[in-house]
Amino acid sequence: MAKLEIKIKAFEANLVDDAAKKVILLAKAEKADVSGPIPLPTRREIVTILRSVHVNKKSREQFESRTHKRLIVLSNVSKTLVDKAKRLELPAGVQITIKSVE
């Protein structure tokens, strides 16, 4: 039997958790063994921008974006489960990566 590693990424933590729940429910319906969701480190990206371009160099503004990630490992996976996982409807802003592991 094959193993699948599913990584879920989004800027909002609640979207990642909802997508993980959908994947787990799908896997349990297909009778696959589920391990996870395992929270992976959150990636923080900070951008600093000058507020005023010509004067006031000291006046700056910082923006931050966080990328939340979860990992789900499925074992005893059937081909129908792989097809359903690829066609799974997820909310906008959620990226899913499916990787087959032997």
Side-chain angles (χ1 to χ4, degrees):
M1 290 288 171
K3 267 188 175 182
L4 282 183
E5 279 186 358
I6 300 175
K7 282 188 183 178
I8 303 169
K9 296 181 188 179
F11 291 122
E12 293 185 36
N14 58 358
L15 289 179
V16 175
D17 293 334
D18 291 344
K21 284 178 189 175
K22 281 187 177 183
V23 170
I24 289 172
L25 288 174
L26 176 69
K28 287 185 178 179
E30 293 288 324
K31 297 183 177 138
D33 297 330
V34 179
S35 173
I38 304 164
L40 297 175
T42 301
R43 183 169 172 250
R44 286 179 48 193
E45 195 172 341
I46 300 174
V47 179
T48 304
I49 297 175
L50 295 173
R51 284 189 188 177
S52 168
V53 182
H54 303 292
V55 273
N56 301 334
K57 171 86 172 168
K58 292 180 183 176
S59 177
R60 298 174 183 222
E61 204 167 359
Q62 287 191 326
F63 298 98
E64 175 183 271
S65 73
R66 293 178 181 219
T67 305
H68 302 274
K69 297 179 255 184
R70 302 286 184 270
L71 174 69
I72 302 172
V73 180
L74 305 176
S75 22
N76 298 331
V77 177
S78 63
K79 289 189 178 191
T80 58
L81 177 60
V82 175
D83 291 337
K84 286 182 180 180
K86 287 181 181 177
R87 287 187 277 119
L88 188 64
E89 274 194 38
L90 297 172
V94 176
Q95 179 186 1
I96 188 168
T97 308
I98 301 172
K99 181 178 165 187
S100 178
V101 180
E102 294 301 322

